[in-house]
């Protein structure tokens, strides 16, 4: 990891008020530590076991974000410490997060992941599913459920393409989901629109991103291709 890459990135993000999530999947605790020493506190991981192992080795004031596909039976392993789960794509998963957050006597910030790309392989809710999830959570809250999840915004991954028009329209779709969440959850801290990665973050910022998730631009290319 190069300090200059980090500083350059911050110089682009800070004036726009955009926060940086350093995506540290496949990187070692030492590599994370060197970025931490430069002041970075938000780190993102995709795999539960990898996250649990690194969390145990690193300082307690790191805010860990889970950004990979999350199975309901694994929520319990990260619930004691995770700061934000960015990949919530079903009511069932949200319910499980709520349950384990309550057990740990804490609240967990959640982003709803939307499917905005062309590639079928990516996860997330479509617009209709987002609407129904907003409705269901509000219904259930009247019965006392979902009190330990803070709906904080949404996350999405755009297509792997250089087509700027396509990318902008996908980011725009995510942004409208974000606006829907603000209206749907007036009492939650809906302040995070997590969009943009190493290849497309500049466009994401133009479309209103509040948090970019950057891996390879900070740490260099990953040797193992992992999504
Ligand atoms: C790996 C990953 C990133 C970072 O990707 P880079 O292209 O290395 O910046 C961002 N978001 C998610 C969900 C990821 O899995």
């Amino acid at each position: 990891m190069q300090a200059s890459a980090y500083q350059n990135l911050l110089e682009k993000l800070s004036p726009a008020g955009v926060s940086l999530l350093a995506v540290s999947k496949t990187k070692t605790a030492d590599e994370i530590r060197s970025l931490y020493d430069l002041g970075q506190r938000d780190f993102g991981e995709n795999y539960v076991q990898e996250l649990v192992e690194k969390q145990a080795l690193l300082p307690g004031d790191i805010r860990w974000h889970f950004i990979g596909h999350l199975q309901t039976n694994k929520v319990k392993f990260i619930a004691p410490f995770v700061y934000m789960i960015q990949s919530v794509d079903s009511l069932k998963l949200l319910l499980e997060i709520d349950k384990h957050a309550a057990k740990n006597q804490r609240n967990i910030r959640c982003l709803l992941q939307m499917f905005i790309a062309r590639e079928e392989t990516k996860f997330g809710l479509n617009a209709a599913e987002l609407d129904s999830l907003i409705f269901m959570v509000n219904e259930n809250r009247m019965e006392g459920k979902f009190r330990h999840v803070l709906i904080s915004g949404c996350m999405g991954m755009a297509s792997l393409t250089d087509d700027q028009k396509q990318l902008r329209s996908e980011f725009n779709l995510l942004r409208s989901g974000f606006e829907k969440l603000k209206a749907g959850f007036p009492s939650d801290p809906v302040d995070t629109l997590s969009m943009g990665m190493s290849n497309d973050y500049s466009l994401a910022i133009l479309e209103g991103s509040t948090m970019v998730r950057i891996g390879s631009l900070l740490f260099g290319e990953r040797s193992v291709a992992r999504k």
Side-chain angles (χ1 to χ4, degrees):
M1 204 279 309
Q2 289 173 335
S4 59
Y6 181 58
Q7 297 306 342
N8 287 343
L9 194 53
L10 287 187
E11 274 164 33
K12 284 187 198 152
L13 301 179
S14 305
V18 173
S19 57
L20 172 63
L21 180 63
V23 176
S24 49
K25 60 187 176 197
T26 79
K27 301 298 163 185
T28 64
D30 282 345
E31 287 171 289
I32 296 172
R33 165 83 67 168
S34 64
L35 199 49
Y36 174 90
D37 288 340
L38 295 173
Q40 180 65 22
R41 290 295 178 270
D42 291 275
F43 290 90
E45 290 283 340
N46 291 48
Y47 290 90
V48 167
Q49 197 182 334
E50 199 178 329
L51 171 54
V52 169
E53 285 170 11
K54 290 174 183 174
Q55 189 268 341
L57 296 171
L58 287 155
D61 63 341
I62 288 183
R63 291 183 291 266
W64 292 104
H65 297 243
F66 192 80
I67 60 173
H69 188 61
L70 183 57
Q71 289 168 288
T72 49
N73 63 352
K74 302 239 170 110
V75 172
K76 58 177 178 286
F77 300 116
I78 59 173
F81 65 86
V82 74
Y83 174 76
M84 183 184 272
I85 297 175
Q86 299 208 355
S87 44
V88 177
D89 60 357
S90 72
L91 195 71
K92 189 172 154 228
L93 179 58
L94 197 63
L95 201 58
E96 195 69 9
I97 297 169
D98 187 51
K99 186 174 106 189
H100 287 284
K103 267 192 194 160
N104 286 280
Q105 294 177 300
R106 56 194 303 264
N107 296 331
I108 297 178
R109 289 167 183 74
C110 292
L111 303 186
L112 303 181
Q113 182 170 0
M114 280 190 79
F115 177 80
I116 53 169
R118 283 171 173 167
E119 293 115 42
E120 300 274 322
T121 50
K122 293 191 172 139
F123 293 100
L125 303 155
N126 63 32
E129 289 165 340
L130 185 72
D131 287 342
S132 107
L133 200 139
I134 294 171
F135 177 79
M136 293 298 290
V137 171
N138 280 316
E139 286 280 292
N140 278 279
R141 274 199 173 148
M142 289 190 259
E143 296 159 21
K145 287 186 197 139
F146 296 116
R147 295 281 167 85
H148 293 269
V149 290
L150 303 171
I151 307 293
S152 303
C154 51
M155 185 272 264
M157 289 170 92
S159 297
L160 211 73
T161 174
D162 291 329
D163 182 344
Q164 310 247 318
K165 215 171 137 227
Q166 175 69 19
L167 286 171
R168 286 190 80 144
S169 86
E170 292 178 6
F171 287 142
N172 200 270
L173 189 63
L174 192 57
R175 194 200 167 121
S176 39
F178 181 54
E179 299 303 332
K180 261 191 207 166
L181 287 179
K182 281 189 193 167
F185 297 106
S187 314
D188 287 62
V190 183
D191 58 8
T192 306
L193 177 52
S194 172
M195 65 182 194
M197 311 184 5
S198 292
N199 291 328
D200 55 20
Y201 76 92
S202 304
L203 279 182
I205 292 171
L206 290 176
E207 292 295 335
S209 169
T210 72
M211 177 183 283
V212 294
R213 307 180 308 274
I214 308 285
S216 41
L217 203 62
L218 279 173
F219 292 106
E221 294 295 329
R222 287 175 293 276
S223 44
V224 207
R226 279 167 123 183
K227 277 284 149 187

